[in-house]
């Protein structure tokens, strides 16, 4: 027991130290960040991060607003795909075990530094020429959620940005909560039924993303590539819905603090693909793009094809790792 307590304490302090180093790696104009959980009616949920100066210890937020146990259950479902019904009794028992287990490790109870739920938004700095904060709409990668990026998005907000980070409901997240409270689990496009048949999610994918029937009828193009092309169009639609929702129906004090002329599309990996397509599809609604480790080639196909055909129409920052270095 003593070794366990010592080990967990060391792990906890190590995580806190890493977050503290990241937090103080550079000076930011705002001390704290507020966060609110919002849902587009009939569609996706997203988290809104914004600069604040308010600090309430009882409202400090963690990485995952529904808990680490649900996040972990999504990955467990991937590992046991086809063996356990994720909505069945066995899965419910496993969820209880996971829920208990995560509170024995720091990830279950550590908080994101300087992130507080439902606090007030800060006024733009008096020495700033900005008439409001720029808005960044952020899309997560494949087999991921928007919550995983909480630490980075919090730091971005501290530097004077409002960030809307969604969790997609297209089957690309390990698990997403639908509006009716049910779960949407990750879709494996290698599964025959996902590629060839209509599920409750894939039925909503566009039949063809454009009029290029030569591409869609080309048997040399894999079903997997066609699936991803349709899926990323669905993701871009959700991305644009979040942008419009926060600007029109978001919390009033947050909306009033946004400079609507400066909206930036951003994302990581599959999310960078999504952000690029969203910005290319609606060039008048974005002023720039930030794309981390973008996934722009699949099975020998350049995609999304609209982006490769017309290019990005805005100033864009592409951040690549060595693994993705040949993608652009």
């Amino acid at each position: 027991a003593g070794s366990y307590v010592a080990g967990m304490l060391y792990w906890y302090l190590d995580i806190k130290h890493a977050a503290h180093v990241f937090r103080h790696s550079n000076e930011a104009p705002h001390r704290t960040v507020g966060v609110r959980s919002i849902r587009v009616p009939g569609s996706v949920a997203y988290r809104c991060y914004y600069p604040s100066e308010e600090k309430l210890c009882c409202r400090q937020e963690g990485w995952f607003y529904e808990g680490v146990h649900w996040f972990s259950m999504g990955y467990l479902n991937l590992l046991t795909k086809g063996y356990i019904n994720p909505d069945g009794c066995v899965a419910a028992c496993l969820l209880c075990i996971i829920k208990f287990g995560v509170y024995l490790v720091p990830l279950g109870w550590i908080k994101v530094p300087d992130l507080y739920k439902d606090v007030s938004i800060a006024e733009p700095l008096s020495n700033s020429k900005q008439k409001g904060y720029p808005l960044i709409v952020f899309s997560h990668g494949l087999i991921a959620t928007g919550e995983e990026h909480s630490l980075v998005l919090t730091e971005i907000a501290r530097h004077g940005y409002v960030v809307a980070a969604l969790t997609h409901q297209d089957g690309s997240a390990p698990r997403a909560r639908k509006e009716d409270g049910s779960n949407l689990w990750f879709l494996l496009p290698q599964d025959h039924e996902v590629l060839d048949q209509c599920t409750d999610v894939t039925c909503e994918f566009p039949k063809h993303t454009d009029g290029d029937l030569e591409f869609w009828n080309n048997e040399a193009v894999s079903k997997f590539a066609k699936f991803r092309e349709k899926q990323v169009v669905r993701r871009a639609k959700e991305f644009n819905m979040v942008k419009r929702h926060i600007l029109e129906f978001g919390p009033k004090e947050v909306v009033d603090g946004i400079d609507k002329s400066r909206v930036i599309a951003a994302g990581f990996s599959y999310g960078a693909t999504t952000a690029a397509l969203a910005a290319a599809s609606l060039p008048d609604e974005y002023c720039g793009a930030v794309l981390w480790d973008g996934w722009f080639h699949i099975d020998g196909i350049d995609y999304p094809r609209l982006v490769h055909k017309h290019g990005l129409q805005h100033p864009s920052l592409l951040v690549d790792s060595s693994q993705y270095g040949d993608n652009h």
Side-chain angles (χ1 to χ4, degrees), residues 89-324:
C89 295
V90 174
C93 294
L94 288 173
L95 182 63
C96 291
I97 296 172
I98 294 172
K99 188 174 182 179
F100 174 77
V102 294
Y103 286 103
L104 299 179
V105 297
L107 191 60
W109 28 274
I110 197 169
K111 303 296 184 181
V112 178
D114 303 318
L115 183 65
Y116 298 92
K117 183 179 180 180
D118 296 335
V119 294
S120 60
I121 188 171
E123 292 290 335
L125 299 178
S126 58
N127 61 351
S128 172
K129 296 181 180 179
Q130 301 177 5
K131 57 182 179 180
Y133 299 114
L135 170 64
I136 296 176
V137 184
F138 183 86
S139 172
H140 62 79
L142 187 64
I143 319 180
T145 69
E147 299 163 279
E148 295 173 41
H149 303 276
S150 295
L151 183 61
V152 173
L153 301 181
T154 297
E155 186 64 13
I156 290 173
R158 287 183 63 244
H159 282 77
Y161 293 85
V162 173
V163 184
L166 68 153
T167 294
H168 287 283
Q169 288 188 187
D170 64 323
S172 63
R175 175 256 180 192
R177 176 78 73 183
K178 299 171 73 173
E179 189 174 31
D180 62 5
S182 62
N183 296 309
L184 174 62
W185 304 100
F186 182 76
L187 290 176
L188 284 173
Q190 289 85 352
D191 293 349
H192 174 78
E193 64 272 15
V194 173
L195 288 174
D196 295 333
Q197 299 179 20
C198 196
T199 68
D200 60 343
V201 176
T202 57
C203 279
E204 299 178 12
F205 286 5
K207 299 299 181 185
H208 303 295
T209 61
D210 51 38
D212 187 3
L213 295 182
E214 182 178 352
F215 171 83
W216 294 106
N217 294 331
N218 187 351
E219 294 183 359
V221 179
S222 69
K223 291 182 179 180
F224 179 71
K226 292 176 182 177
F227 174 88
R228 291 296 184 212
E229 178 76 27
K230 293 179 181 179
Q231 188 178 44
V232 77
V233 171
R234 162 69 182 266
R235 285 169 62 94
K237 179 181 178 181
E238 294 176 341
F239 188 96
N240 287 323
M241 288 176 67
V242 166
K243 178 192 71 69
R244 290 167 181 162
H245 184 268
I246 191 172
L247 291 178
E248 296 179 17
F249 305 106
K252 186 177 186 306
E253 63 171 335
V254 175
V255 175
D256 291 343
I258 295 174
D259 181 351
K260 297 182 180 180
S261 67
R262 294 188 296 163
V263 181
I264 300 164
F268 171 73
S269 188
Y270 203 22
T273 314
T274 304
L277 180 58
S281 302
L282 299 172
D284 294 336
E285 297 188 19
Y286 295 92
C287 70
V290 180
L291 311 174
W292 285 277
D293 291 347
W295 186 20
F296 295 117
H297 299 270
I298 183 170
D299 283 0
I301 301 298
D302 294 340
Y303 97 118
R305 290 177 305 124
L306 177 68
V307 177
H308 284 273
K309 182 178 180 179
H310 298 292
L312 294 169
Q313 308 301 311
H314 319 86
S316 301
L317 173 64
L318 280 73
V319 184
D320 280 0
S321 69
S322 58
Q323 181 180 358
Y324 292 90

Side-chain angles (χ1 to χ4, degrees), residues 56-117:
L56 300 174
C57 60
C58 60
R59 292 189 180 181
Q60 193 168 8
E61 274 283 79
W63 261 263
F64 306 97
Y65 67 88
E66 285 195 281
V68 182
H69 56 289
W70 276 116
F71 172 78
S72 303
M73 193 63 194
Y75 281 97
L76 180 62
N77 175 57
L78 279 172
L79 295 174
T80 60
K81 193 74 174 178
Y83 297 97
I84 298 177
N85 176 6
D87 295 307
C89 295
V90 174
C93 294
L94 288 173
L95 182 63
C96 291
I97 296 172
I98 294 172
K99 188 174 182 179
F100 174 77
V102 294
Y103 286 103
L104 299 179
V105 297
L107 191 60
W109 28 274
I110 197 169
K111 303 296 184 181
V112 178
D114 303 318
L115 183 65
Y116 298 92
K117 183 179 180 180

